[in-house]
Amino acid sequence: MSYKAIILGLLLILCVPAVSSAQSDYSGQGSYQAFINSTVKKLKQIVYLRMNGALDLATSLTIANDPQFNDVVATLQMKDYFDTSASAGAFSFVQDDGPNSNFGVFIGTFKSKADVITSFTGTLTEIFADGSFDIVTIKAKALK
């Protein structure tokens, strides 16, 4: 094998988009309570969640209504996390899009195996710029 073929092979490998092993997708039942114009609406639906990064790094949590993440409900940044045992813990995420925009907080607990989150549950409170808000209780498991 010539050096040119080896270099070309390495370049091709480097050009292929890599999927981060630190990205995990989850789905679960979301129970919504929406408060819009003084009216309470309740519904249940499947929601999809994507966690980018490992727990010990800066992490974001994206919550969407579809598995392709085209209809995003919120994208939040991890505020803090702590382990309560070798296989469980708690975390919090915050979204602050600035003045006159959306604000959200997600607080939950998780189960993990070998430092990988296997499932989690929590509550998202999302306040929208128009004054309406959602409270979403989520129980999620990793997608396979």
Side-chain angles (χ1 to χ4, degrees):
M1 189 183 250
S2 72
Y3 289 110
K4 288 181 183 178
I6 292 172
I7 291 173
L8 179 61
L10 288 173
L11 287 174
L12 287 174
I13 290 172
L14 293 174
C15 290
V16 175
V19 175
S20 171
S21 61
Q23 175 178 303
S24 300
D25 288 350
Y26 303 84
S27 73
Q29 185 70 35
S31 299
Y32 284 80
Q33 286 186 337
F35 299 89
I36 304 168
N37 299 328
S38 301
T39 304
V40 178
K41 296 182 180 179
K42 294 184 179 187
L43 63 111
K44 290 185 178 189
Q45 73 178 56
I46 300 295
V47 292
Y48 298 88
L49 305 102
R50 177 170 287 157
M51 197 171 300
N52 289 320
L55 279 174
D56 57 347
L57 302 172
T59 301
S60 66
L61 176 66
T62 302
I63 303 171
N65 288 318
D66 65 314
Q68 294 79 27
F69 290 85
N70 294 324
D71 185 10
V72 173
V73 174
T75 299
L76 305 101
Q77 300 302 311
M78 180 178 278
K79 184 70 175 166
D80 202 4
Y81 89 95
F82 59 93
D83 294 319
T84 56
S85 72
S87 61
F91 48 28
S92 64
F93 293 84
V94 176
Q95 170 195 10
D96 187 0
D97 292 340
N100 303 318
S101 202
N102 300 344
F103 176 78
V105 176
F106 181 86
I107 298 173
T109 58
F110 62 86
K111 292 183 181 178
S112 62
K113 186 174 186 178
D115 291 331
V116 174
I117 295 176
T118 56
S119 65
F120 61 92
T121 186
T123 301
L124 169 70
T125 301
E126 185 74 15
I127 303 168
F128 301 100
D130 65 3
S132 62
F133 62 96
D134 288 343
I135 299 172
V136 186
T137 302
I138 300 170
K139 291 183 179 183
K141 293 184 180 181
L143 288 174
K144 305 219 178 204

